[in-house]
Amino acid sequence: MTEHETPQETPQLCTREARACGVMASGEEDGSVEEKQTNNKKRTKGTIATAWLTVYNIAMTAGWLVLAVSMVRFYLQKGTHKGLYKHIARTLKCFQTFALLEIGHCAIGIVRTSVIVTGVQVCSRIFMVWFITNSIRQIQNEESVILFVVVWTVTEITRYSFYTFNLIHHLPYFIKWARYNMFIVMYPLGVVGELLTIHAALPYVRRSAMFSLRLPNKYNVSFDYYYFLIIVMLSYIPLFPQLFFHMLRQRRRVLHGEVIVEKDE
Ligand SMILES: CCCCCCCCCCCCC/C=C/C(=O)SCCNC(=O)CCNC(=O)[C@H](O)C(C)(C)COP(=O)(O)OP(=O)(O)OC[C@H]1O[C@@H](n2cnc3c(N)ncnc32)[C@H](O)[C@@H]1OP(=O)(O)O
């Protein structure tokens, strides 16, 4: 069973609708030459955006699938999670870093998502990959690292295949269902993995004073990465619920057709 909803069919009243890609002004036939030209431009932009997003989502689905296969093969061959992070690090860094493009997609309006919500999600992941796990070798074999990497992988394969099938108008219901149900378990699990990993990093950060700047120095500025990490951990308390409730709203809108009125971000 496949499903497709064009933006026009989606029962949503949101102000960001106006900048959604592919949304055409109604009554095009009756408009002036200028209106027709504007609509043609919009349509061309919509086609280019859709083509780009399709390529992007296919590439990201493939990337995370490669990561999944690589993890399963490693575990079957070695029978341990030790060394797994090192084995998949390059692929993980590559595809998670590519996700920065998603902030751009929102900023230029080709996807109907808030820049802030996407920004927090993507930046927190980039931070976990580059400034925690990649920078502190001693924690790479922690179980919590494997927990968040596995959770991210399952989530991203589902999310990017959802976007891909949606764009090509052949969305199997089970993918839509998985996209808007799995996060209920996956989000908290991912957060637990991330927080435990940052927690495990704290002693090494304190001992090595990495990424820290102590006084006196020529800039007369001090920065303690150890305390910064504690602030990052605390920031999950206000930020995570916002992301989680955002996804619950999306779930109600997409699976139950609820009309959600949102402010333009
Ligand atoms: C400097 C250090 C800072 C540190 C800060 C620390 C604080 C961090 C606190 C928070 C920590 C979070 C940790 C996260 C852990 C995990 O990820 S665990 C794994 C579980 N995770 C998830 O389930 C992730 C869920 N998140 C997401 O899906 C996104 O990131 C999102 C931004 C929250 C998604 O929201 P949104 O895009 O609004 O929802 P959708 O329903 O998917 O999409 C809305 C519409 O946009 C279209 N769209 C979006 N992207 C695309 C695309 N790539 N291609 C095509 N279309 C796209 C989508 O189809 C929807 O369109 P319509 O249906 O027409 O509306």
Side-chain angles (χ1 to χ4, degrees), residues 57 112-113 121 125 163 179-180 194 246 250 253:
N57 290 314
R112 303 192 298 167
T113 307
Q121 172 75 40
R125 294 254 195 115
Y163 294 143
R179 162 72 183 135
Y180 291 105
E194 293 174 27
H246 169 80
Q250 292 294 81
R253 178 175 73 82

Side-chain angles (χ1 to χ4, degrees), residues 68-188:
V69 171
S70 201
M71 284 196 286
V72 172
R73 282 181 59 183
F74 180 94
Y75 194 77
L76 290 179
Q77 278 167 11
K78 311 269 177 192
T80 173
H81 71 280
K82 295 209 166 76
L84 196 153
Y85 177 80
K86 204 171 167 207
H87 183 70
I88 51 112
R90 196 188 293 194
T91 318
L92 176 68
K93 285 187 280 186
C94 171
F95 286 96
Q96 188 51 62
T97 306
F98 262 121
L100 279 171
L101 288 174
E102 279 163 50
I103 303 176
H105 294 160
C106 307
I108 60 174
I110 61 172
V111 300
R112 303 192 298 167
T113 307
S114 143
V115 179
I116 298 169
V117 174
T118 307
V120 172
Q121 172 75 40
V122 174
C123 291
S124 71
R125 294 254 195 115
I126 297 281
F127 180 75
M128 277 311 297
V129 170
W130 285 103
F131 296 96
I132 304 282
T133 323
N134 189 60
S135 306
I136 309 166
R137 261 187 303 119
Q138 292 89 333
I139 59 160
Q140 289 174 359
N141 286 331
E142 293 285 330
E143 282 88 353
S144 59
V145 171
I146 308 306
L147 174 62
F148 79 72
V149 173
V150 169
V151 166
W152 289 8
T153 306
V154 174
T155 301
E156 296 305 49
I157 292 170
T158 315
R159 187 165 75 93
Y160 290 117
S161 44
F162 166 80
Y163 294 143
T164 306
F165 286 117
N166 204 18
L167 283 167
I168 61 171
H169 307 170
H170 282 86
L171 178 62
Y173 184 77
F174 80 90
I175 292 186
K176 181 173 172 176
W177 183 92
R179 162 72 183 135
Y180 291 105
N181 280 295
M182 270 176 22
F183 75 90
I184 296 170
V185 175
M186 291 299 187
Y187 238 159

Side-chain angles (χ1 to χ4, degrees), residues 23-54:
V23 177
M24 300 301 148
S26 58
E28 193 181 325
E29 293 78 16
D30 314 326
S32 66
V33 176
E34 261 176 41
E35 269 173 4
K36 279 182 186 162
Q37 280 174 344
T38 313
N39 286 333
N40 279 343
K41 272 188 196 162
K42 277 188 192 168
R43 193 173 292 135
T44 312
K45 267 194 196 167
T47 311
I48 294 169
T50 306
W52 160 249
L53 286 174
T54 308

